[in-house]
Every structure is written in C-alpha cells, then in structure tokens.
Amino acid sequence: MPATIRDVARLAGCSIKTVSRVVNGEPYVTEETRARVQAAIRAVGYAPNISARRLVQNKSFQICILMYPGLLQPASGILSLIMDIGYEENYDILFQPYFPTHARSKRKLVSLIYEHRIDGFVTTPPCDAEDFVSELLDTFKVPLVQINPFNRPEKTPFVASDDIEGARGMMEHLLGLGHRRIAFLMGPRNMRASFDRLEGYKQALEAHSIPFDPALVRDSEFTFDGGYTAARLLLEGSPRPTAIFAGNDEAALGAIYAARELGLDVPGGLSVCGCDDIAAAGRTWPGLTTIHMPAEELIETAVRLLIQILKGSLPSSNQVFLQSRLVLRGSTAPPAEAST
Amino acid sequence: MPATIRDVARLAGCSIKTVSRVVNGEPYVTEETRARVQAAIRAVGYAPNISARRLVQNKSFQICILMYPGLLQPASGILSLIMDIGYEENYDILFQPYFPTHARSKRKLVSLIYEHRIDGFVTTPPCDAEDFVSELLDTFKVPLVQINPFNRPEKTPFVASDDIEGARGMMEHLLGLGHRRIAFLMGPRNMRASFDRLEGYKQALEAHSIPFDPALVRDSEFTFDGGYTAARLLLEGSPRPTAIFAGNDEAALGAIYAARELGLDVPGGLSVCGCDDIAAAGRTWPGLTTIHMPAEELIETAVRLLIQILKGSLPSSNQVFLQSRLVLRGSTAPPAEAST
DNA sequence: GCGCGTGTTGACAACGTTGTCATATGCCTG
DNA sequence: CAGGCATATGACAACGTTGTCAACACGCGC
C-alpha cells in the first residue's frame, strides 16, 4: 500500500538506485536530480521499508537493553532519553526484561540473537553475572556493553559508577552526625554493587577505627521485603543500631516501614539511608537520604558507546566511570542518645 | 553467517518450500519428511530470518504501546507479562514513550507507522486524547485498541476500568469513617479518569446529601508536585478538610508530604487516599489507602485483543470493562475532631 | 481403464531495498 | 587529440523468506 522506491523513481524519471542514493545521502547525485527526487518522495509519501533494508544489509539496526525488572525500573526520564538517542542514531532500542535462570528469558534471548539478529546488547546488573548470557553473546560475537558489570575484564567495554567511593561518602555523613552503631543491608551476591558498597562501609569504619561487627550486616536482597525483614530483626535485637545504611533504596524504604511499625521515629529514633535515588525516595516522608546513581547517564553512555562500536568507529575509551553524589534529605539525623 | 533455509533444504534433501512448510507448521508434509527436516534444522542451527519474513509478508509482527511516561511507568510485572504474551503470540511488543504535542514524539510515531510498519497500536491515557494520534492511525487504517480512552466511540475497541464506581467506593469508605469535609485532587483535562473520578466523588456526596463545594476541588495534574502544592493550599486555608481524596497516587504522595511538612499526622490529623495502587503506595509509611487499578490486566487484555484483531479472528467483544478494588492501608482513619 | 480428488513436492516469482559493476559524460593533462 | 580520471547514472543481482501454481503419485468409484 505505501509507496515504494520504484514509485518515486518513476515520478522523478530516474532509476531506483538514484533514489536510493538520495535517500541515504550518498554522493554522485547532481543537485538538480536530488531536488527532483526529493520532490517526488514528498509527492508520493515515500518512506523506505525498514524490513527490506534490514534484509539486504543483514543488520537489524536494533540494540537491546537486558534488565532485571525487579531491580531496574525504566524511569520516565530514561525512556524518553533512549527514544531520543534511538531517533538520532537510527537505531531501535529494545528494553528486554531478563530474569536470570528463567527458561523463557533464555529462549527469548536466543531468539533475539538468532531470529531478530539484534546488532548489540547492553546488560544491566545482575544479567551480566549469568554465565548463559555472557557465553551466548560471546559465542555469536554480538557486541556488548555492560553497565556496572560484576567482573571488569580488560577487553569488554563497560560503564560503571564508583560504588565504593559512594558508600564511603555516605558513611562519612553518618559518622559525621555521630553514629557509631551503623547497620548495613547487603544486596544479592550476583551484583558487584553489593560487595562494593559493603567495602565502602568497611573502609569508612576502619578509617574511624570502629571495629567491623558482622552482626550488623544483614541480607536484604535489595528488595523492600528484604529490607523490612532485616530491619525488623536488627531493631528487635539489642543493642539497636542507631542508623541503617541500606545497600539500595528499596531496602531502605522497607527498613523505614519496619521502624515506623515498631513505633520508632525516622530520623528521630533511627536514621536510614539508601543508595540509587529512585523516584520513590523523594516521594516519601521524610525524604530518603541516598546516593544518587547517575542511571540516565550510565544508560546513555552505554548506548552511545555501543552504537559507536557498531558503526565501526573505535571509541577513545572502552571503560567509563561516572560519579555518584550524596543526596541529603530528611531520613538521617544525629543519634538521639549518646550511643554506647 | 547463520544458516539459511537453503542450507536446511540441502541437508534434508528437499526444496526450500518444504522446509518453509515445516517451519510454519503447514500441512501437506509427510511425517517422515517433517522429521528429516527438523533434524536438519537442528543440525545446522537454523532460525528463520525475521526481516525476510517481514518483507515478504508485508507485516512487521510488531505492536506498539504508546504511553506517557510521566504517568504510566511500566512496572516490573507488566514488563514480564508483556514479554510472555509476545513470546507466545510471536509478536514483538514495543513500549514507546509518547509526549503529547512533542514534535519529536510525533515524528517518531510517523516513523513507526511509515517505516516500521507497526501492525497495531495500544494507546494509554492521555495519548489517545491527542487528535494527531487518532487521526494518523485512522488515516493509515492501523488497528488500534485503547486503554481507558477519553472518548468511547461505538466502533473503536477499548479496555477500560470503571473509575466512577471506584471513586464512589473510596468515598463511601471515607464517609463511613465519618469524614464530611473531603477535598478532591483533580487530574489533567485530557484524561477521562480525571472527570470520572470527580464524578464518583460528586455522586457519593449527593448520595449522602452533602453539598458539593467547588473550593474543595483542586488541580493536581496527577503529579507529586501538583498534589503537594494543592494540598499545601488546602491545608493552610480554613476550614481545613479532614480528608484528601487524590485522583491518583502520585498526587496523594505529594499531599502526604505536604501534610507532614506542616506537622500534620497522617492519618491522625488528615486522611489521604489515592487511586491506581502504584508500587510506591505500599512502600511508604503509612501505606497509602488507594484504589487498585488492574493495570496488568488492562494491558494484557488490550494486547491480546489487538493480536486477535490482527490475526483476523473477530473477538467476541470489542469493549471490555475491568473492575478495580479498594485497597485499605494505613493512610485513612476517622477524623480526629467531630467535624463541623 | 479413465477421470477425479487429495496428498505431497518443488520451481519460480515476488517482496523492497542496497551493493556491484558497467557505462556515459565532461574535463583536465600532456 | 588521445588518454585518464572524476562525476553521474542505471541495469541487474542479491538478501531469505513466503505465495502461487504446476506436477506427480496414489487411491477410489464407475
């Protein structure tokens, strides 16, 4: 039904190849011809058929972002950003939910590579940690850029934030307020952030000569429920921590919920802080003190890097580090009592 | 690089057409041939090239969900649900952020229709309200299913929830608790839900013979900031409402924030409730009393309906209504003082 | 034995584009 | 003026699939 390149050629009185040249901005077309073709394109309402182009070029012009929806929700800003980049660069960008070890996710990924011939992938934690993913992409030589990958091999391009530094900064904030018994909510074992943030926690303790107490470190799985349960156990135990540093915001919100349920005021009776700066962190009362992860920049950088690689222009740097920053809201304050 | 249908045919000792028949589950292939072809497919690792299939069938096997990211965030459950449906039905499902009146959004939509030849669309509020969208889809005869559309013309298929009924139910809850001065936070004018929920609010007041007071109705644009600002004005005025019924959860969270900022306890000094039951509603303290919108079912139903239409099987019903339900959490309680 | 319907198979065109190569033209150089 | 080179253009194949149609085998009824 829509016009094809042949319709344009007929109207413009030239060959289809010439039309193709005009459409793709190739040289070797006189200005006069170019204008005539462009007029014809407008006249018949022509737009190139992407499927045909994909077929003949054996490319899909699609890149795919694998993400585990439990952890990374594509926020509003990210979605529109991605749309813009894709529009500029003429690439379709697919968000693909990926559940590690989930059979259907695996089959879908295989289909994306095999049948859709996706040109390249971006992985987000913890998708990169599954061997299946890395081996598959490696086998088929599909270009890949990783965001905050678990491992940081020399050759693979990635974009990362410095979680150790970020966590240390947050600890300095808590320690500066006077907290000494600070609990830490750990994340899942298949994400580097879990370990890096714990490392920052430990480094700060050491810098202040506070002994590391393993009993203050609990698993939260980076979920609301995990944070809630861990906080309940911590707060019902004794001695209580005066602050809880949650490895991510979801867990922090769970911890606040648990504290409130026990009648503890936040930050009056307990300080709570998180990591990531998700949308909900600013929508709760008190606002959640957290570390702002540059999620949009991470994704934008990764996508642009991938497209650069796909276009064959070797980027200046394959491994990019972005800074996070502290966001002080209302959920942290000096401890109520002079703690033991 | 990957195997083509010709490689399979050569190995199986048959024509490419026979392979095609096996791949597509068509009849007129003996069991023996079918088995031989399937073995060959596995042997060479064949997967059909989707671009070629799309080209020859002049279909994209893609459907697109237009959404305004400011309001509808694709939550974790929705994303994986969509993935599953797409996988089952062999359709790719694209989430396309769409900003009404935004030039780039318009161009992208045109490109989706013109160049990508998207087979069908699902619209979410308020994208359906923009004339540009409906006219474009209409002009090109692209199949369309709407979710909670602004208008409900006879012919267009849609899936909707009964917002009037839902809002009335919430009002019954508040009135039952003893509230009489209840404010309402209105949404944008390009969404049916704004008007329907207001209508439910009015109907409940009338049923209880409480006069409608326009001063208690404020605009919130269905955003956190809008809800915050509206609530500040309401709460700093006099007489204060004893409850705020926000047209959506974002605005409700803003209202709670405003109340807390003024030192008002929720629900002790003010009851607040919302609509939609977004993820954050259960992650805040106190949990937000709200109306659960069946977002996943709405999208699933719309997508399945669209695919049914695309496959040519006329569905039994073009217009589906789904029920919402009250979710009572901690943000509503009886008014503190016997209100005037 | 013949006609006919049904099951099975394959040859070939078609989809709409881009890549390759040949050709034509004009201009510059020696 | 011959030769060479850059510019401009088009004919045609190719990409990998599905749709169309013809061909053939077989069994059945008459």
Side-chain angles (χ1 to χ4, degrees), chain B residues 5-6 17 20 24 46 49 53:
Chain B
I5 201 171
R6 248 169 279 270
K17 182 62 208 186
S20 172
N24 294 293
Y46 168 74
N49 182 316
R53 184 179 279 173

Side-chain angles (χ1 to χ4, degrees), chain B residues 113 132-142 144 155:
Chain B
I113 297 174
F132 178 78
V133 176
S134 45
E135 284 168 14
L136 190 66
L137 295 176
D138 197 52
T139 306
F140 288 93
K141 304 264 180 292
V142 186
L144 166 69
K155 51 183 172 45

Side-chain angles (χ1 to χ4, degrees), chain A residues 80-81 83-84 87, chain B residues 68-69 96-110 130 132-133:
Chain A
S80 45
L81 185 73
M83 180 187 88
D84 283 356
Y87 192 85
Chain B
Y68 177 59
Q96 181 62 34
Y98 187 86
F99 300 82
T101 77
H102 190 275
R104 182 163 284 200
S105 289
K106 289 186 181 180
R107 283 203 301 274
K108 178 67 187 180
L109 180 57
V110 170
E130 200 188 15
F132 178 78
V133 176

Side-chain angles (χ1 to χ4, degrees), chain A residues 40-51:
Chain A
I41 287 176
R42 272 190 300 276
V44 302
Y46 168 75
N49 182 317
I50 287 198
S51 297

Side-chain angles (χ1 to χ4, degrees), chain A:
Chain A
M1 198 61 182
T4 76
I5 202 171
R6 247 168 279 271
D7 301 322
V8 178
R10 200 175 310 123
L11 183 59
C14 65
S15 74
I16 57 170
K17 182 63 208 186
T18 300
V19 178
S20 173
R21 273 189 268 260
V22 172
V23 169
N24 294 294
E26 290 171 27
Y28 301 134
V29 183
T30 57
E31 271 319 303
E32 188 263 326
T33 311
R34 196 177 294 272
R36 199 155 32 88
V37 169
Q38 272 157 352
I41 287 176
R42 272 190 300 276
V44 302
Y46 168 75
N49 182 317
I50 287 198
S51 297
R53 185 179 278 174
R54 285 175 174 163
L55 174 61
V56 70
Q57 300 203 350
N58 195 27
K59 283 187 201 168
S60 68
F61 299 102
Q62 290 180 314
I63 68 182
C64 179
I65 302 177
L66 288 185
M67 53 164 200
Y68 177 59
L71 289 180
L72 179 62
Q73 306 271 339
S76 131
I78 291 183
L79 279 172
S80 45
L81 185 73
I82 291 300
M83 180 187 88
D84 283 356
I85 300 177
Y87 192 85
E88 275 173 35
E89 306 277 2
N90 263 309
Y91 270 85
D92 283 350
I93 302 174
L94 275 55
F95 272 97
Q96 183 62 35
Y98 187 87
F99 300 82
T101 77
H102 191 275
R104 182 163 283 200
S105 290
K106 290 186 180 181
R107 283 202 302 273
K108 179 68 188 181
L109 180 58
V110 170
S111 155
L112 285 172
I113 297 174
Y114 253 71
E115 305 184 275
H116 290 73
R117 318 284 157 103
I118 299 293
D119 292 338
F121 282 83
V122 171
T123 58
T124 62
C127 300
D128 60 281
E130 200 189 15
D131 289 342
F132 178 78
V133 176
S134 45
E135 284 169 13
L136 190 66
L137 295 177
D138 196 53
T139 307
F140 288 92
K141 304 265 180 289
V142 185
L144 166 69
V145 173
Q146 300 181 308
I147 293 180
N148 276 332
F150 193 86
N151 294 307
R152 293 177 178 170
E154 287 287 325
K155 51 185 172 48
T156 329
F158 66 80
V159 183
S161 55
D162 189 344
D163 282 320
I164 299 180
E165 179 60 29
R168 210 165 47 199
M170 179 62 86
M171 285 298 286
E172 288 299 335
H173 164 64
L174 292 173
L175 291 162
L177 288 172
H179 292 276
R180 287 299 173 269
R181 205 159 48 252
I182 304 171
F184 181 78
L185 300 189
M186 175 85 176
R189 297 286 187 278
N190 55 359
M191 289 174 65
R192 167 179 272 259
S194 304
F195 298 96
D196 280 0
R197 291 170 186 175
L198 177 63
E199 176 62 22
Y201 168 83
K202 285 182 179 172
Q203 285 184 9
L205 287 181
E206 190 171 346
H208 287 251
S209 311
I210 300 174
F212 171 72
D213 178 0
L216 285 174
V217 175
R218 302 294 173 104
D219 276 325
S220 75
E221 292 301 318
F222 280 174
T223 63
F224 180 85
D225 290 341
Y228 170 83
T229 306
R232 284 289 299 219
L233 293 172
L234 282 165
L235 296 174
E236 283 167 347
S238 174
R240 265 187 189 161
T242 64
I244 295 182
F245 177 15
N248 81 341
D249 287 348
E250 284 280 330
L253 292 175
I256 291 180
Y257 197 97
R260 287 290 179 75
E261 216 176 54
L262 293 170
L264 259 178
D265 184 42
V266 174
L270 176 78
S271 286
V272 176
C273 58
C275 267
D276 290 349
D277 196 19
I278 62 176
R283 292 185 170 13
T284 191
W285 177 273
L288 183 65
T289 291
T290 187
I291 302 168
H292 179 79
M293 284 286 296
E296 298 188 12
E297 291 95 317
L298 282 170
I299 292 198
E300 168 162 13
T301 309
V303 167
R304 288 200 188 277
L305 186 56
L306 179 59
I307 291 179
Q308 250 190 312
I309 293 173
L310 291 178
K311 288 190 171 169
S313 59
L314 266 191
S316 49
S317 169
N318 262 347
Q319 316 205 330
V320 183
F321 286 88
L322 297 178
Q323 292 232 317
S324 48
R325 66 167 203 278
L326 224 57
V327 178
L328 300 180
R329 295 202 180 92
S331 66
T332 49
E337 13 108 33
S339 74
T340 2

